[in-house]
Amino acid sequence: MKVIAIIPAYNEEESIKQVVEELKEKAPFCDYVVINDCSKDSTKEILEREGYNYLDLPVNLGLQGAVQTGYKYAYYKGYDAAVQFDGDGQHLPEYIAKLAEGIEEGYDIVVGSRFVDMPKEFSARMIGSRLISFMIKLTTGKTIKDPTSGMRMLNRKMLREYGFNMNRTPEPDTLAFEIKRKAKVKEVQVEMRDRQGGVSAYSNIGNSIKYMMKVLMTIIFFN
């Protein structure tokens, strides 16, 4: 099975080299493409200097546009599956093989979850995750323990669905939508690190609340 990692990168100069080198070392069976989302720092220079495989977007498209670009690339290049793999160093490449096993078992989407075997801590950070899990369960009947995980692998059918439909964001509401459409979804246990550089768009509590409310409203009213 041909597998590729889609690595969206916006201002990831502090971590992008580590991410790619670790991926090449620990998941050598998996190809990769970095989607440079019009970074303002030296991300592009690092990609060029190291000779990495990358696409350079002419304008900033945000996470959805960058990931969709990667999915289109994977689809046109004939890959059987693609995994979204963060450029900030949070995702660990040694788990890609476990996600690929799920695709080979016949699942459409395999989510790298922190909470399959491990309990979800009781913290302010996890309140949103618990609410989203509850709403997905309420509206689909399916339990997703780590709905905000960005480490998701799609099979070829989902590559086309996510890559060419502008309404398919790489977020939990799209996951809920696909479950309602009978997509087969599996979670596998993974570990994740703190980001290795840069600043998350959701480190601000206000942005986190806005994100959570948007996702919840979409799940309730538009799925």
Side-chain angles (χ1 to χ4, degrees), residues 18 22 83-86 88-96 99 110-116 118 121 125-126 145-153 187-196:
Q18 174 191 330
E22 191 175 37
V83 58
Q84 182 182 334
F85 198 81
D86 285 355
D88 58 18
Q90 292 189 79
H91 297 162
L92 302 178
E94 50 263 45
Y95 292 107
I96 292 176
L99 273 65
V110 183
V111 179
S113 171
R114 294 161 287 182
F115 309 119
V116 173
M118 302 295 292
E121 65 267 23
R125 184 179 179 184
M126 287 295 125
K145 295 184 177 181
D146 196 359
T148 61
S149 169
M151 191 177 186
R152 302 186 191 98
M153 183 174 287
E187 287 184 282
V188 298
Q189 180 67 42
V190 302
E191 295 181 12
M192 294 188 189
R193 296 181 292 226
D194 292 332
R195 66 165 34 243
Q196 302 299 290

Side-chain angles (χ1 to χ4, degrees), residues 8 35 37 57 60-72 166 170:
I35 312 299
D37 193 19
L57 299 180
N60 180 266
L61 296 180
L63 179 63
Q64 178 181 352
V67 173
Q68 282 194 322
T69 298
Y71 287 153
K72 289 177 181 177
M166 293 302 294

Side-chain angles (χ1 to χ4, degrees), residues 14-132:
E14 296 178 24
S15 57
I16 193 63
K17 182 176 179 179
Q18 174 191 330
V19 167
V20 176
E21 291 298 330
E22 191 175 37
L23 179 68
K24 290 163 63 178
E25 175 188 353
K26 296 184 177 179
F29 66 91
C30 181
D31 293 338
Y32 74 90
V33 61
V34 180
I35 312 299
N36 178 40
D37 193 19
C38 205
S39 296
K40 296 179 181 178
D41 63 0
S42 61
T43 297
K44 180 179 179 180
E45 287 71 20
I46 294 171
L47 297 173
E48 289 183 336
R49 183 181 70 233
E50 300 297 330
Y52 295 149
N53 184 39
Y54 78 97
L55 299 177
D56 192 38
L57 299 180
V59 295
N60 180 266
L61 296 180
L63 179 63
Q64 178 181 352
V67 173
Q68 282 194 322
T69 298
Y71 287 153
K72 289 177 181 177
Y73 176 93
Y75 187 83
Y76 284 130
K77 292 291 185 178
Y79 285 92
D80 301 300
V83 58
Q84 182 182 334
F85 198 81
D86 285 355
D88 58 18
Q90 292 189 79
H91 297 162
L92 302 178
E94 50 263 45
Y95 292 107
I96 292 176
K98 290 181 64 177
L99 273 65
E101 288 175 4
I103 297 295
E104 290 183 317
E105 290 169 6
Y107 288 92
D108 299 303
I109 302 171
V110 183
V111 179
S113 171
R114 294 161 287 182
F115 309 119
V116 173
D117 302 320
M118 302 295 292
K120 188 178 294 186
E121 65 267 23
F122 287 92
S123 65
R125 184 179 179 184
M126 287 295 125
I127 290 175
S129 177
R130 289 177 179 276
L131 286 172
I132 293 170

